[in-house]
Amino acid sequence: MSSPTSVLLAGGGSAGHVSPLLALADTLTRRHPDLVVTALGTEEGLEARLIPARGFGLRFVPKVPLPRRPSADLLKLPGRLKAAVDAAGAAIDETGAEVVVGFGGYVSTPAYLAARRRRVPIVIHEQNARPGLANRVGARFTTFVATTFSTTDLPHARRIGMPLRREIATLDRSALRDEALAHFGLATEWPTVLVTGGSLGAKRLNDAFASTVAALSRGGVQVLHVTGQGKTFVPDVPAVGAPYVVVEYADRMELAYAAADLVVARSGANTVCELTTVGLPAVYVPLPIGNGEQRLNAADVVAAGGGLLVDDDALTPHWVETELIPLATDGDRLAVMARASAALGEPAADEQLADLVELAWGTRA
């Protein structure tokens, strides 16, 4: 049976686009070892570092931000967009791409337009509950549209979840728990709260927990606090009580999840999907800026009982002491929340998206 020989994956700028792109790339090459996978990105985004490090080819297109209000930049848009579409078209032609897969962001719109012009099949994956402009445009050109959340409003959408790294998608938290606790210097007798604001950290989370180290420790809650780069601090842990461990970055996030009983985090799409896939209850604190997508991302799991939603300005030291500590020490409640979270997980989303790519490849003219 024949199989695709070359695909182009378009998505960059943020981890929300790059992470599922890499998960799909890994799955496609696992299925088809001879397949050429090339990514399309910008020179400024995370992809410029992460994609070559994983061994995949990378082509660049000019970044074409869409002005949010009338300005001189709006007059430059047609020329900039044409240059980006031309660059995306050259990448398709030179790699012989038989399918273009877009994950949204600056590079996807040029890729969709170039692919449509060449009658190359298009596959779309939308990470957020509220779709971005690029994928709203691209969804007009294809019926192969996958989404992370059931509430995402796009034509032909089918919910598959978020393609995740295999280390996360196949994680057995109970089997790794002892190793994970030892890795971070945590104890076995205390419940563990993982606090993370992602690679850049979250000031609100960092400040609230840094101010309550002693209360958490004396309350019988140990904490693994991932502060983000350059934001670490030395916790003032009481002589008697539970540990409080601070790290800037967890290079093995699967171990952080295995150590945790409860997570406090932002509700980016990737975070929500990782936590439901591994079956962790969470307190979601949506980023208070943007178009409200983080609140929507957490809506399904909160409605199912697998998480709580706390507004950014409500996550205070007082809330940590009066609400979080009782929750973290209530094993029965956490167990119910964990089951509700796991029921929404989609550990095979990478395989389902790869199926869609193969289906689209089969429709080539």
Side-chain angles (χ1 to χ4, degrees):
M1 181 178 178
S2 60
S3 60
T5 60
S6 177
V7 298
L8 184 70
L9 310 183
S14 70
H17 295 139
V18 178
S19 295
L21 183 155
L22 286 171
L24 176 63
D26 288 342
T27 302
L28 288 171
T29 52
R30 189 167 60 246
R31 288 186 180 188
H32 309 291
D34 296 328
L35 177 67
V36 175
V37 175
T38 307
L40 196 65
T42 67
E43 295 186 59
E44 300 86 2
L46 286 174
E47 63 274 16
R49 176 173 56 87
L50 297 179
I51 289 172
R54 289 282 276 274
F56 298 110
L58 177 62
R59 299 296 185 96
F60 294 117
V61 296
K63 186 175 179 179
V64 187
L66 183 66
R68 296 185 180 274
R69 57 180 59 88
S71 68
D73 283 341
L74 191 61
L75 299 177
K76 301 175 185 177
L77 182 62
R80 288 174 173 171
L81 184 59
K82 180 181 185 304
V85 173
D86 289 346
I92 294 172
D93 295 340
E94 291 165 13
T95 63
E98 297 167 320
V99 181
V100 168
V101 186
F103 294 86
Y106 293 126
V107 301
S108 290
T109 301
Y112 298 149
L113 294 171
R116 186 191 190 207
R117 185 177 297 170
R118 288 160 175 77
R119 299 182 181 272
V120 173
I122 296 168
V123 176
I124 290 172
H125 184 271
E126 173 57 52
Q127 293 80 54
N128 291 302
R130 179 173 287 159
L133 177 61
N135 283 347
R136 294 203 305 270
V137 171
R140 299 176 182 178
F141 306 153
T142 181
T143 60
F144 301 105
V145 180
T147 65
T148 298
F149 301 105
S150 60
T151 54
T152 304
D153 184 16
L154 282 176
H156 313 294
R158 62 191 85 182
R159 176 182 178 264
I160 66 166
M162 175 78 81
L164 301 172
R165 292 184 297 117
R166 299 307 291 168
E167 296 91 338
I168 301 296
T170 62
L171 177 64
D172 184 337
R173 290 198 298 120
S174 60
L176 271 184
R177 182 172 176 81
D178 288 346
E179 176 188 344
L181 291 171
H183 178 82
F184 290 109
L186 296 166
T188 58
E189 65 266 32
W190 309 105
T192 306
V193 172
L194 168 64
V195 180
T196 175
S199 59
L200 298 178
K203 188 176 188 305
R204 174 72 66 174
L205 274 62
N206 287 346
D207 290 350
F209 279 84
S211 300
T212 52
V213 170
L216 286 156
S217 179
R218 293 193 182 104
V221 177
Q222 67 182 351
V223 175
L224 173 58
H225 189 157
V226 184
T227 62
Q229 187 172 0
K231 297 173 183 176
T232 188
F233 64 94
V234 178
D236 186 12
V237 185
V240 177
Y244 195 109
V245 175
V246 177
V247 296
E248 286 192 358
Y249 179 75
D251 57 356
R252 293 190 63 190
M253 203 63 191
E254 70 274 13
L255 288 183
Y257 289 156
D261 299 291
L262 175 67
V263 179
V264 181
R266 294 297 192 196
S267 47
N270 208 62
T271 298
V272 173
C273 292
E274 287 190 349
L275 295 180
T276 55
T277 294
V278 304
L280 268 168
V283 174
Y284 293 107
V285 188
L287 195 66
I289 60 175
N291 62 4
E293 65 186 24
Q294 286 208 353
R295 180 175 290 273
L296 293 175
N297 290 344
D300 284 353
V301 65
V302 170
L308 303 178
L309 195 68
V310 176
D311 289 339
D312 185 76
D313 59 5
L315 191 85
T316 62
H318 178 74
W319 186 91
V320 173
E321 293 186 24
T322 60
E323 300 291 337
L324 182 83
I325 291 175
L327 173 61
T329 53
D330 188 341
D332 290 341
R333 186 180 177 192
L334 290 182
V336 171
M337 292 176 68
R339 287 193 292 271
S341 176
L344 291 178
E346 294 286 356
D350 59 335
E351 300 285 356
Q352 293 186 61
L353 188 57
D355 289 343
L356 204 59
V357 172
E358 293 175 354
L359 190 62
W361 174 78
T363 66
R364 297 176 345 278

